[in-house]
Amino acid sequence: KITVRSHFGSSGILRTARHSPHSTSIVVMRTLLTEETLKVPKGCKITVKSKIVEVTGKHGSLKRDFKHLPIELFLSDGGKKVVARMYFAKSKQCSMLNTVCSHISNLFEGVTKKFEYKMRLVYAHFPINVNIINGGKTIEIRNFLGEKVVRTVHMLPGATVDKSSSTKDEIVVTSADIELAGRSAALIHQSCLCKKKDIRKFLDGIYVSSHGVKED
């Protein structure tokens, strides 16, 4: 016969003791509450409703939906802090709290400073020529590996591309949303790949050299 007793200890941890005639007592502990807190920086306004987070700053407004996560999300301290909370979470489930806080932190940095992806034009013989049109929303790539075809890449809505003013053969993709900037940079990179050649020898292309928060 096995009996199960559950009680809450002084540390707020659920303790379950199992007694059987063939084994010693076993104590199983579960974490009741896991919580992560994020401060709201100055110049940002945030609203949280039904796990939908909307952040507004000098570079616009960004929105993100966290309804697919089994967490509690709310504002505290008069709207100065964002709290992400989870009950009875195991170690792997606790990791989603840090993920949520990282996403919200990226929203704060995006609306205050913007994100940028710097990309370099790499070529061995045929110089790659780029032309920015449509107010930075479209880029035309010419003379890749000497080809006559013109590669046209449209930026995702909310992202822009421009030539670097300080570095030769460099372009910069900028957006308040880090995902839009990264995906737009990926579209540019994927538009000029070496097909049916040894990529160890043919290294021509447009590659991301660095990315992060835009410097003022």
Side-chain angles (χ1 to χ4, degrees):
K1 184 180 179 180
I2 298 176
T3 58
V4 179
R5 296 192 185 97
S6 301
H7 68 279
F8 291 92
S10 59
S11 60
I13 296 177
L14 177 65
R15 301 173 185 271
T16 304
R18 296 177 180 270
H19 302 281
S20 68
H22 304 292
S23 65
T24 58
S25 61
I26 301 173
V27 177
V28 180
M29 293 186 293
R30 293 188 65 186
T31 305
L32 289 183
L33 175 64
T34 308
E35 191 176 272
E36 291 286 340
T37 306
L38 191 65
K39 289 185 178 180
V40 179
K42 292 183 179 179
C44 289
K45 292 182 180 179
I46 180 172
T47 58
V48 180
K49 186 176 181 181
S50 301
K51 297 185 191 177
I52 297 178
V53 179
E54 186 172 1
V55 179
T56 306
K58 65 178 182 179
H59 291 302
S61 179
L62 294 175
K63 185 183 290 186
R64 197 172 183 98
D65 191 349
F66 297 104
K67 285 186 177 180
H68 60 288
L69 298 177
I71 63 171
E72 227 179 73
L73 203 59
F74 59 93
L75 298 177
S76 67
D77 197 11
K80 295 180 181 179
K81 292 181 180 179
V82 184
V83 180
R85 180 183 290 175
M86 179 180 288
Y87 292 93
F88 300 108
K90 296 181 181 179
S91 59
K92 285 191 176 180
Q93 294 170 331
C94 290
S95 62
M96 69 178 67
L97 291 179
N98 284 326
T99 301
V100 170
C101 290
S102 296
H103 283 310
I104 297 176
S105 179
N106 285 336
L107 296 181
F108 288 146
E109 291 184 340
V111 297
T112 55
K113 299 178 182 179
K114 283 193 174 184
F115 290 96
E116 66 177 7
Y117 276 67
K118 294 182 179 180
M119 308 185 73
R120 296 297 297 268
L121 312 181
V122 179
Y123 51 86
H125 184 269
F126 296 101
I128 300 175
N129 300 321
V130 295
N131 186 29
I132 310 296
I133 59 175
N134 199 15
K137 296 180 181 179
T138 306
I139 181 172
E140 292 179 343
I141 304 169
R142 289 181 170 86
N143 202 36
F144 174 69
L145 291 178
E147 297 176 3
K148 298 296 183 182
V149 63
V150 179
R151 291 167 167 82
T152 303
V153 182
H154 300 284
M155 299 295 99
L156 295 172
T160 58
V161 62
D162 198 5
K163 291 183 179 180
S164 175
S165 58
S166 58
T167 308
K168 182 190 175 186
D169 292 334
E170 184 179 71
I171 58 176
V172 182
V173 180
T174 309
S175 176
D177 192 333
I178 188 172
E179 290 192 1
L180 294 179
R183 288 167 57 195
S184 297
L187 291 175
I188 296 174
H189 170 70
Q190 292 171 353
S191 68
C192 45
L193 298 175
C194 290
K195 302 293 180 67
K196 299 181 180 180
K197 292 182 177 64
D198 187 356
I199 60 174
R200 297 171 298 179
K201 179 67 175 176
F202 292 85
L203 301 175
D204 293 34
I206 303 178
Y207 299 92
V208 175
S209 58
S210 65
H211 63 87
V213 178
K214 188 176 181 181
E215 298 178 359
D216 294 333

